[in-house]
């Protein structure tokens, strides 16, 4: 196939795009198909790929086919489907092509979709790059460099990161077409596509496009015109507003997420606190990509999962250096220097992720990779580039890094004995370091041989493309293969989890919550059953607020440990699945049983063994929907010490003072006793929380009390949930549901609308009268209808805009004919 590139004439240049697609498709197939075959038809990787990307796709595929796109009770304690999964796949065309297939087949589609994404990324880069080179074959090369760059290989781990990699070059190509070709209407579509597939990455792309546009203007590459700028702004507004049907619900759903609230602060905004980060940024362009979670070069940089990768196969930074050494000073040189500055300064780096500094990410490096790729192909296109000098520089940098890191002195002390060693530690990293060093050096050597033997000769570009793909394939096979074979979750998923729900014969498993603490993350999503565990960071913010009040860390996952056993009752958790393939050493904290084989959480008894799990039943289970015997204010509950909160929360419903007043006939609230609490002497206030006792006996008693006052039926529906409750008391009560509060819910009791209260730091309660009641909760995604209206208006505005363009074009043609 590569030899075809040189035989094509300029008249057939339209075929270069197809060639780029097919070359990338074939190479990606050669990379992934062997692993698909090894694992029986499914591409399993490790970590997040196995426990997030695959189950997310399969779960959401099932919900879409069932028409349940509102409230998602299969994610954590419940969340909005659109708000929580628009970051992952909800607007991705790659997800929607899976919908016609049976749900059981979705895991088998992940590998082919990954192959297709690589081909699309290469094609998108080709479309952008072809403007800047004389020879289309160089744009083919550039597309392949971009698609198989270190960033792309690193982020196989994050299956949904390749959509932004595809959208970004198309966004730039559309902008160039607007500025230089005077084509109208395309940029609005590109803005829409880039934003709708992933709003998080789009925020970084907005910053880049602004820098890109200003650099073109300041270097006079593009002559700024107010009229054109206003038209461009109109297209941006129309394209952006058209995404409101996805963007508005997503923004509303994520407001209050603590991962988005930490801004740059002090010296940490100007310098990275760990000096290894600077080394990692530089090394990421000199060597093949690390595996996420398994750093080789800078193990103490605290950059696991940060996507710090950018190596270009075969070329490394040789082409970039060759271009930067050219005498002419243009926008690309200045932009590359500016981007490197942004990479090195924390506050500037955070601008690519909405100023969020809660954790270091370099997930915008694909933009820098595209600019490095452009510099490389433009250097090849320029006859004045000094490749010999550039090769010496890139080789010198690579060898220098190898020598410095490979000979790094280390001193350790074990039992008072000092030991000395050289190179990165631990030993496994040291061995992998030399493999990476060998791959980088061999890549440079292959390029040097091609350059020496074929430069300016027939076959040079074909050989360069072939060797680029060869180097990319070999290095990627080693990297991806390492991840595949070190995976600790693949065996469990393949053997006992994927499409294996029917083997577990428990009738009510779909109607109650289960616990999978220390099992494979998101097992419940594979089985489409409710669970209190979830590895997903963009969930309903009420969940975050609740766990914060319980003094339980909830950042990327909900994993309450065994000491929080009271939560299993509060959250109506009936079953616990103990993974038998994981370590069952009683000495480990994560082991469910002690040395005597007794469960560490009181009230759990062994039910059966199935699918590689010991399944335990919670004897303290309380059905969803129950009333509490008493009520306390949030300020009263704050008196409870942190370690006891997960048990104290079972004793009373926690309300705000205003809620206590609103429902005084139920809560028994009156102002006089609370003057002390809210006045100047809160310590003198006597609260029932001060009298709480804790332990397994109290847990059993409290569970029985709640169970006796729980719903007789509870069912999830396509629009929310419904329940039946018999209030046997002599007055109205507040009925508690451990479903996260959302403004999208409305509720009715016996057909009459009622207010929904946010209680107990994040859950919902409604007032129910004496006797039997039918309670119905109906959910509608907040912002969905408004977003659709905005999107429709934007689409109508775009149609009018196109109509005006057509009218003006026809008018101009008539005027020219008349002249």
């Amino acid at each position: 196939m590569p030899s075809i590139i040189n035989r094509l004439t300029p008249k057939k240049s339209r075929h270069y795009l197809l060639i780029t697609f097919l070359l990338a498709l074939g190479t990606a197939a050669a990379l992934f198909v062997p692993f698909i075959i090894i694992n029986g038809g499914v591409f399993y990787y490790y970590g997040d790929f196995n426990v997030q990307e695959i189950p997310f796709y399969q779960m959401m595929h099932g919900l879409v086919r069932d028409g349940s796109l509102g409230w998602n009770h299969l994610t954590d304690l419940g969340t909005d489907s659109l708000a929580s999964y628009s970051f992952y796949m909800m607007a991705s065309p790659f997800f929607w092509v899976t919908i016609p297939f049976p749900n059981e087949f979705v895991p088998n589609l992940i590998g082919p979709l990954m192959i297709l994404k690589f081909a699309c990324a290469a094609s998108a880069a080709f479309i952008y790059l072809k403007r800047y080179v004389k020879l289309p074959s160089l744009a083919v090369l550039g597309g392949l460099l971009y698609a198989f760059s270190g960033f792309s290989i690193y982020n196989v781990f994050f299956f949904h990161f390749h959509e932004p990699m595809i959208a970004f070059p198309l966004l730039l190509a559309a902008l160039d077409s607007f500025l230089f070709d005077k084509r109208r209407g395309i940029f609005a579509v590109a803005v829409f596509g880039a934003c709708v597939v992933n709003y998080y990455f789009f925020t970084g792309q907005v910053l880049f496009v602004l820098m890109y546009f200003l650099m073109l203007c300041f270097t006079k590459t593009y002559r700024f015109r107010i009229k054109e700028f206003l038209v461009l702004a109109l297209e941006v507004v129309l394209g952006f507003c058209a995404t409101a049907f996805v963007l508005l619900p997503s923004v509303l759903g994520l407001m209050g997420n603590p991962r988005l609230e930490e801004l740059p602060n002090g010296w940490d905004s100007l310098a990275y606190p760990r000096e290894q980060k600077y080394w990692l940024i530089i090394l990421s362009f000199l060597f093949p990509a690390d595996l996420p979670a398994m750093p080789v070069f800078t193990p103490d940089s605290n950059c696991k999962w940060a996507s710090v990768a950018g190596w270009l196969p075969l070329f490394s930074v040789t082409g970039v250096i060759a271009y930067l050494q050219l005498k002419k000073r243009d926008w690309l040189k200045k932009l590359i220097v500016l981007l490197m500055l942004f990479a090195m300064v924390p506050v500037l780096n955070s601008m690519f992720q909405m100023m969020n500094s809660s954790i270091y990410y370099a997930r915008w490096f694909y933009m820098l990779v595209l600019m490095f790729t452009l510099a490389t192909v433009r250097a090849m296109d320029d006859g004045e580039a000094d490749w010999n000098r550039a090769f010496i520089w890139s080789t010198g940098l690579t060898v220098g890094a190898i020598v410095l890191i490979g000979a790094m002195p280390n001193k350790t002390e074990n039992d008072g004995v000092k030991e000395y060693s050289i190179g990165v530690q631990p030993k496994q990293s040291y061995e992998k370091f030399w493999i990476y060093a060998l791959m980088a050096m061999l890549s440079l050597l292959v390029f040097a041989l091609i350059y020496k033997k074929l430069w300016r000769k027939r076959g040079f570009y074909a050989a360069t493309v072939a060797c680029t793909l060869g180097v990319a394939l070999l290095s990627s096979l080693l990297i991806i293969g390492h991840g595949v074979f070190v995976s600790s979750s693949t065996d469990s998923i393949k053997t006992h989890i994927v499409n294996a729900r029917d083997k577990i014969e428990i009738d009510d498993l779909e109607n109650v919550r289960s616990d999978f603490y220390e099992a494979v993350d998101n097992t419940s999503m594979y089985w489409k059953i409710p669970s209190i565990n979830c590895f997903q960071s963009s969930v309903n913010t009420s969940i975050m607020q609740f766990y914060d009040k319980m003094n339980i860390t909830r950042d990327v996952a909900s994993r309450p440990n065994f000491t929080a056993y009271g939560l299993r009752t509060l959250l109506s958790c009936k079953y616990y699945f103990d993974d038998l393939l994981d370590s069952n050493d009683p000495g480990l904290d994560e082991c469910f049983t002690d040395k005597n084989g007794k469960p560490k959480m009181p009230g759990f008894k062994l039910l059966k063994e199935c699918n590689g799990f010991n399944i335990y039943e919670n004897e303290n289970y309380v059905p969803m929907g129950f009333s509490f015997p008493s009520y306390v204010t949030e300020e009263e509950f704050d008196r409870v010490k942190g370690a006891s909160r997960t048990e104290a929360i079972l004793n009373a419903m926690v309300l705000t003072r205003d809620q206590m007043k609103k429902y005084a006939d139920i809560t028994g609230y009156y102002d006089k006793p609370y003057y002390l609490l809210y006045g100047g002497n809160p310590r003198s206030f006597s609260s029932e929380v001060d009298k709480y006792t804790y332990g397994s006996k109290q847990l059993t008693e409290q569970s029985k009390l709640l169970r006796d006052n729980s719903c007789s039926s509870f069912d999830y529906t396509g629009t929310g949930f419904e329940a039946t409750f018999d209030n046997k008391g002599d007055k109205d009560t507040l009925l508690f549901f451990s479903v996260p509060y959302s403004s999208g819910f409305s509720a009715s009791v016996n057909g009459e609308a009622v207010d929904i209260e946010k209680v107990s730091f994040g859950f919902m309660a409604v007032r129910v009268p004496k006797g039997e009641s039918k309670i119905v909760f109906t959910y509608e995604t907040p912002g969905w209808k408004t977003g659709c209206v905005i999107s429709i208006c934007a689409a109508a505005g775009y149609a009018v805009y196109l109509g005006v363009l057509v009218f003006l074009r026809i008018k101009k043609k008539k005027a020219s004919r008349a002249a």
Side-chain angles (χ1 to χ4, degrees):
M1 181 68 74
S3 61
I4 297 176
I5 295 173
N6 288 330
R7 295 203 300 268
L8 288 175
T9 64
K11 292 181 180 179
K12 297 181 180 179
S13 61
R14 64 183 181 275
H15 297 305
Y16 282 96
L17 176 60
L18 178 60
I19 290 170
T20 305
F21 179 86
L22 293 177
L23 285 173
L25 188 74
T27 305
L31 173 59
F32 292 106
V33 167
F35 301 116
I36 294 174
I37 294 173
I38 289 172
N39 280 313
V42 178
F43 176 67
Y44 295 107
Y45 197 23
Y46 78 105
D48 293 17
F49 189 93
N50 287 357
V51 302
Q52 281 196 327
E53 310 297 352
I54 301 177
F56 287 0
Y57 253 66
Q58 189 168 30
M59 177 194 65
M60 290 308 303
H61 176 277
L63 292 177
V64 169
R65 284 174 64 100
D66 291 341
S68 302
L69 276 177
W71 188 252
N72 183 339
H73 65 275
L74 302 178
T75 298
D76 212 301
L77 304 177
T79 193
D80 182 89
S81 289
L82 184 57
S84 292
Y85 288 95
S86 56
F87 171 68
Y88 293 97
M89 89 290 281
M90 283 306 295
S92 168
F94 296 95
F95 169 71
W96 288 95
V97 300
T98 68
I99 299 303
F101 294 88
N103 187 256
E104 295 77 12
F105 195 64
V106 170
N108 301 86
L109 296 174
I110 297 298
L113 287 176
M114 179 61 79
I115 294 169
L116 182 60
K117 286 184 182 186
F118 270 76
C120 290
S123 302
F126 170 86
I127 291 172
Y128 169 67
L129 295 169
K130 65 187 176 78
R131 173 184 299 276
Y132 293 99
V133 290
K134 303 182 188 76
L135 298 174
S137 54
L138 288 176
V140 174
L141 173 64
L144 298 172
L145 285 172
Y146 178 73
F148 293 95
S149 65
F151 186 91
S152 185
I153 298 302
Y154 181 107
N155 288 295
V156 167
F157 188 77
F158 300 108
F159 185 68
H160 56 291
F161 280 21
H162 287 77
E163 279 90 331
M165 284 192 69
I166 297 167
F168 177 63
L170 297 177
L171 184 66
L172 294 187
L175 178 59
D176 284 347
S177 183
F178 181 96
L179 298 178
F180 303 119
D181 302 334
K182 310 306 178 185
R183 291 184 179 177
R184 305 295 181 244
I186 300 176
F187 192 59
V189 176
V191 169
F192 171 81
C195 183
V196 79
V197 296
N198 196 298
Y199 59 85
Y200 169 83
F201 282 89
F202 180 70
T203 60
Q205 291 170 6
V206 169
L207 174 61
F208 183 94
V209 167
L210 181 60
M211 295 166 61
Y212 185 86
F213 178 77
L214 292 175
M215 196 63 70
L216 291 176
C217 292
F218 290 153
T219 58
K220 298 182 180 179
T221 305
Y222 164 73
R223 184 180 176 185
F224 181 82
R225 299 176 179 85
I226 290 291
K227 182 179 178 181
E228 279 194 351
F229 178 76
L230 293 176
V231 175
L232 178 65
L234 176 62
E235 291 205 16
V236 171
V237 171
L238 290 174
F240 179 73
C241 290
T243 68
F245 72 101
V246 168
L247 186 62
L248 186 58
S250 301
V251 171
L252 293 176
L254 292 177
M255 289 179 64
N257 190 315
R259 297 192 78 200
L260 303 176
E261 295 178 348
E262 188 171 333
L263 297 175
N265 180 48
W267 272 103
D268 285 349
S269 66
L270 300 179
Y272 294 116
R274 294 176 183 249
E275 62 280 358
Q276 286 190 23
K277 275 193 177 72
Y278 293 102
W279 276 93
L280 177 58
I281 292 169
I282 296 170
L283 296 172
S284 66
F285 295 99
L286 297 176
F287 297 92
D290 272 341
L291 276 175
M294 302 179 192
V296 174
F297 294 92
T298 56
D300 298 321
S301 62
N302 193 29
C303 290
K304 295 180 179 179
W305 309 288
S307 300
V308 190
W311 183 68
L312 298 182
L314 190 67
F315 288 89
S316 182
V317 294
T318 308
V320 180
I321 294 172
Y323 187 78
L324 293 177
Q325 289 179 342
L326 289 172
K327 291 181 181 180
K328 59 182 179 182
R329 308 174 78 179
D330 69 350
W331 65 271
L332 181 56
K333 284 186 180 181
K334 295 178 180 179
L335 182 57
I336 287 175
V337 172
L338 183 61
L339 291 172
M340 290 305 298
L341 175 64
F342 269 65
M344 295 296 181
V345 180
V347 67
L348 298 179
N349 182 80
S350 68
M351 291 175 68
F352 283 101
Q353 50 186 32
M354 299 180 289
M355 300 302 292
N356 176 32
S357 295
S358 61
I359 189 170
Y360 170 76
Y361 284 136
R363 292 178 173 174
W364 61 274
F365 271 22
Y366 65 97
M367 307 179 195
L368 188 52
V369 167
L370 185 60
M371 294 302 101
F372 276 19
T373 300
L374 176 57
T376 299
V377 296
R378 287 186 68 178
M380 295 190 74
D381 203 40
D382 193 307
E384 296 181 3
D386 190 341
W387 284 93
N388 288 314
R389 185 170 63 165
F391 176 76
I392 292 172
W393 270 96
S394 63
T395 303
L397 289 171
T398 305
V399 172
I402 292 172
V403 171
L404 287 174
I405 300 173
M408 181 189 301
N410 289 282
K411 181 178 73 174
T412 57
E413 188 171 336
N414 295 316
D415 298 328
V417 178
K418 295 180 179 179
E419 297 179 356
Y420 295 89
S421 61
I422 61 170
V424 292
Q425 297 297 322
K427 184 179 180 181
Q428 295 89 339
S429 293
Y430 183 76
E431 294 170 349
K432 286 189 288 185
F433 165 78
W434 286 108
I435 294 174
Y436 276 68
L438 181 62
M439 285 193 291
M441 291 306 300
L442 285 177
S443 176
L444 288 172
L445 177 61
V446 171
F447 172 74
L449 291 174
I450 296 173
Y451 178 77
K452 292 294 183 182
K453 299 292 185 181
L454 296 175
W455 178 244
R456 299 190 185 282
K457 296 180 181 178
R458 183 177 179 82
F460 172 76
Y461 295 114
T464 303
V465 168
C467 290
T468 295
L469 293 179
V471 169
L473 181 59
L474 177 61
S475 58
S476 300
L477 280 169
L478 291 172
I479 295 166
I480 302 297
H482 182 205
V484 168
F485 292 115
V486 301
S487 173
S488 61
S489 60
T490 298
D491 286 343
S492 292
I493 294 172
K494 185 167 57 173
T495 307
H496 298 303
I497 297 176
V498 66
N499 296 328
R501 160 63 185 94
D502 292 341
K503 298 178 182 178
I504 304 173
E505 296 179 354
I506 298 178
D507 293 336
D508 61 351
L509 198 58
E510 281 78 13
N511 299 316
V512 300
R513 289 185 178 134
S514 298
D515 185 0
F516 292 86
Y517 179 66
E518 287 303 325
V520 172
D521 281 319
N522 293 330
T523 296
S524 61
M525 290 188 188
Y526 275 107
W527 291 345
K528 302 177 187 64
I529 62 174
S531 172
I532 67 170
N533 310 104
C534 178
F535 178 27
Q536 214 267 40
S537 56
S538 55
V539 296
N540 185 290
T541 53
S542 293
I543 297 172
M544 308 283 193
Q545 295 163 8
F546 169 71
Y547 279 117
D548 181 61
K549 277 295 183 180
M550 295 299 105
N551 290 321
I552 295 174
T553 300
R554 205 305 177 189
D555 41 24
V556 299
S558 295
R559 300 184 185 112
N561 62 26
F562 299 140
T563 61
Y565 51 79
L567 292 188
R568 273 68 179 182
T569 295
L570 180 79
L571 303 178
S572 299
C573 177
K574 189 173 183 180
Y575 301 106
Y576 178 82
F577 286 77
D578 187 24
D579 191 346
L580 297 179
L581 289 181
D582 271 1
S583 172
N584 283 290
D585 183 351
L588 299 176
D589 292 339
E590 60 267 24
C591 183
F592 183 61
T593 55
D594 59 22
K595 61 183 179 180
N596 297 316
K598 183 179 179 181
K600 291 181 180 178
M601 289 194 294
F604 280 82
K605 67 176 182 179
L606 182 63
L607 181 65
K608 61 163 59 175
E609 179 184 337
C610 187
N611 283 42
F613 293 89
N614 274 336
I615 305 175
Y616 293 82
E617 184 173 358
N618 182 12
E619 295 179 313
N620 294 317
Y621 163 73
V622 176
M624 183 79 79
F626 51 85
S627 62
F628 282 88
S630 61
Y631 306 86
V632 298
T633 66
E634 292 179 346
E635 290 78 8
E636 287 179 86
F637 191 84
D638 285 343
R639 293 184 172 200
V640 180
K641 294 181 180 179
S644 302
R645 289 190 169 193
T646 57
E647 293 179 72
I649 197 71
L650 292 173
N651 289 272
M653 186 183 295
V654 184
L655 306 174
T656 64
R657 187 183 186 187
D658 288 341
Q659 288 172 330
M660 293 283 279
K661 289 181 179 180
K662 180 178 180 180
Y663 298 99
D665 60 320
I666 297 175
T667 64
Y669 176 91
Y670 60 99
D671 284 330
K672 186 175 180 180
Y674 282 88
Y675 284 155
L676 291 174
L677 178 63
Y678 294 102
N681 194 13
R683 293 185 179 181
S684 299
F685 177 77
S686 177
S687 172
E688 67 175 84
V689 302
D690 302 323
K691 304 171 186 177
Y692 290 161
T693 57
Y694 311 106
S696 59
K697 180 180 178 181
Q698 288 76 12
L699 174 66
T700 301
E701 293 173 353
Q702 194 63 31
S703 299
K704 184 179 185 304
L705 178 62
L706 297 177
R707 189 162 48 248
D708 290 343
N709 292 277
S710 65
C711 288
S712 57
S713 70
F714 176 89
D715 295 289
Y716 292 106
T717 66
T719 56
F721 59 90
E722 57 186 30
T724 304
F725 178 70
D726 187 6
N727 180 8
K728 300 174 183 177
D730 56 0
K731 62 178 182 178
D732 292 1
T733 188
L734 289 174
L735 189 63
F736 171 87
F737 293 94
S738 60
V739 176
Y741 175 86
S742 171
S743 61
F745 275 108
S746 59
S748 66
V749 176
N750 297 326
E752 295 185 6
V754 295
D755 292 339
I756 300 175
E757 301 296 336
K758 185 177 182 179
V759 303
S760 297
F761 309 110
F763 298 114
M764 297 190 291
V766 293
R767 182 176 188 139
V768 294
K770 294 182 290 183
E772 187 168 289
S773 297
K774 179 75 171 181
I775 303 99
V776 177
F777 276 71
T778 304
Y779 184 77
E780 182 179 285
T781 298
W784 163 252
K785 285 186 176 178
T786 303
C788 287
V789 170
I790 295 173
S791 294
I792 292 171
C793 290
Y798 180 70
V800 171
Y801 171 67
L802 291 182
V804 172
L805 291 177
V806 172
F807 172 76
L808 292 176
R809 183 173 295 179
I810 294 173
K811 184 178 179 181
K812 185 177 180 180
K813 285 184 178 180
K814 286 182 178 180
S816 63
R817 288 172 185 170

